[in-house]
Amino acid sequence: SQQDSLYFLRSTRQIGINCDMSHYIVDPEFSTSYDNLMAHFVASDLLNKHYQKLLFRLTNKESDPIADLILNKNRSWSGSKTDLVELIYALHSSGVLNNGEAEISKIIQFSEKFFNIKIGNAYKTFAEIKAREKDRTKFLDTLKRALLTKMDTDEAITKS
């Protein structure tokens, strides 16, 4: 457009907009005098679109399954506390939470809050799990069998 040279070329010319750039790092070889101002306009536009989308969801009662799961206070763990402790320690041991940086105590606290359950002494429960003579990973083995059964059932349905 006619103003491109004013907005996008590096020069000492300034537009009559008051903009304090003293706290920004500006590379004169790369930046123009109004990069930051343009970034504010773009960010404002993106934020506006995001809020419009949220407002649309609220006014149209659009369901969001992830939000429903997180916000629903009626979640509950229907397995045993020992099963949950086994799962917690498996997740912790595998390093799949926060790149292996998640503390076991934080995972326990989260699980208690998320599933509305009081686990009790998880460390003692884990010691009991380790002391099992056979089936040390009983719950995880049950999960694996259930998943394999589902996969086999799904494959049988799709083949027929």
Side-chain angles (χ1 to χ4, degrees), residues 81 84-85 88 107-108 111-112 117-122 125:
K81 291 179 182 180
L84 183 55
V85 170
I88 289 168
I107 301 170
I108 292 167
S111 300
E112 287 181 326
I117 189 171
K118 187 69 180 145
I119 293 174
N121 190 342
T125 304

Side-chain angles (χ1 to χ4, degrees), residues 100-114:
E101 300 295 319
E103 297 175 30
I104 193 73
S105 61
K106 300 293 183 194
I107 301 170
I108 292 167
Q109 287 173 358
F110 171 80
S111 300
E112 287 181 326
K113 191 170 189 173
F114 188 81

